[in-house]
Amino acid sequence: MQDTAPLVVGIDVGGTKTQLRAFAGDTLVADRVRSSSGWRPHDPVAAAGWLAALAADALPAGARPSALAVGGHACETPRQCAQIRTALQLHFDAPALVMGDAELLVPAAGLDKGVGLVAGTGSVAVGRFADGTPVQVGGWGALLGDEGGAAGLVREAVRAVWAAHDRGEEPDPLARGLLSGFDVPEVPALGAALEHATAASAEWGRHAPAVFAAAEAGSPLARTVIAEAGRALAGLVERLAARGVVVDDVVVAGSTVLAQPSLYDAFESALADGVPSARPRPLRAPPVDGAVAMARSLL
């Protein structure tokens, strides 16, 4: 196989699932999807071992990558990504790149430059300065950030419901949906339900459909939460622009923003107001295609 064409491997490690694709020339050699369980990006040695085990399981026996590129969820700084890349050299004698998973979006869309914006369970935006240095904004987790992602939406929805309760208002469709989803009897109990989550991002985020259902049922609270989430996502792009990143093309991905037209529309409207020159582009290709493109660039 490798006598005729180099083997390039791209890996997209998302917050929930991971996809590996490998090509020898234009021939697809492997396409594997698995859970991201066990991914530990803050432990470079463990992360590199996890990636090596994934490749060994997915690739044909004896296959040796000629180039490898990884987009990793929660790879938050260049230093962290560089440490994982260094640890990977213990497993692969081949050129490698490691970056945050949001950095796969621009090459996956077939672009050379632009901004990648993800709003799935969490939210983050990434771009590059003119000298190629990567820059990330957002992505600070469910407790403190991730506005516009599923977990952030639920957190802000609970805050809105609490505020309505403090004003003496009766529970509306948003409050009733959250009470049902968290299986608690009254609004004040929602706080304990959030605090008792052992994995806040995932456990909060799974209740996001209740926010959109409440908006469709006519809840002004839910509609306000969604509108503010759209503005928060646009704000990430504005923050990059203010730091000197070119934001003409904004490639948008994520299971929340692309699956919920009301959120995407709120984001698009806010972006048009805040950065009129920016063009939002929903990503139609899988992000792993960006990893494959980056791996090819190493040859």
Side-chain angles (χ1 to χ4, degrees), residues 42-142:
H42 295 285
D43 182 337
V45 173
W50 190 92
L51 292 167
L54 169 66
D57 183 57
L59 297 175
R64 298 181 64 82
S66 302
L68 174 75
V70 179
H73 173 71
C75 282
E76 296 164 340
T77 68
R79 178 182 178 184
Q80 181 189 4
C81 293
Q83 289 174 335
I84 297 174
R85 177 185 174 278
T86 298
L88 269 177
Q89 302 304 306
L90 300 174
H91 301 276
F92 301 107
D93 183 20
L97 281 174
V98 178
M99 64 203 82
D101 56 343
E103 292 192 60
L104 301 181
L105 305 187
V106 170
L111 301 173
D112 294 326
K113 59 183 179 180
V115 169
L117 174 71
V118 178
T121 301
S123 64
V124 68
V126 299
R128 290 183 179 269
F129 292 124
D131 65 0
T133 302
V135 56
Q136 170 181 312
V137 297
W140 301 117

Side-chain angles (χ1 to χ4, degrees), residues 268-286:
E268 190 173 39
S269 176
L271 186 65
D273 290 339
V275 192
S277 63
R279 296 180 294 267
R281 295 169 169 255
L283 182 64
R284 302 306 182 192

Side-chain angles (χ1 to χ4, degrees), residues 171-197:
D172 81 335
L174 178 60
R176 293 194 295 271
L178 292 173
L179 293 175
S180 176
F182 281 100
D183 193 24
V184 294
E186 54 187 354
V187 168
L190 287 169
L194 293 184
E195 290 174 355
H196 289 161

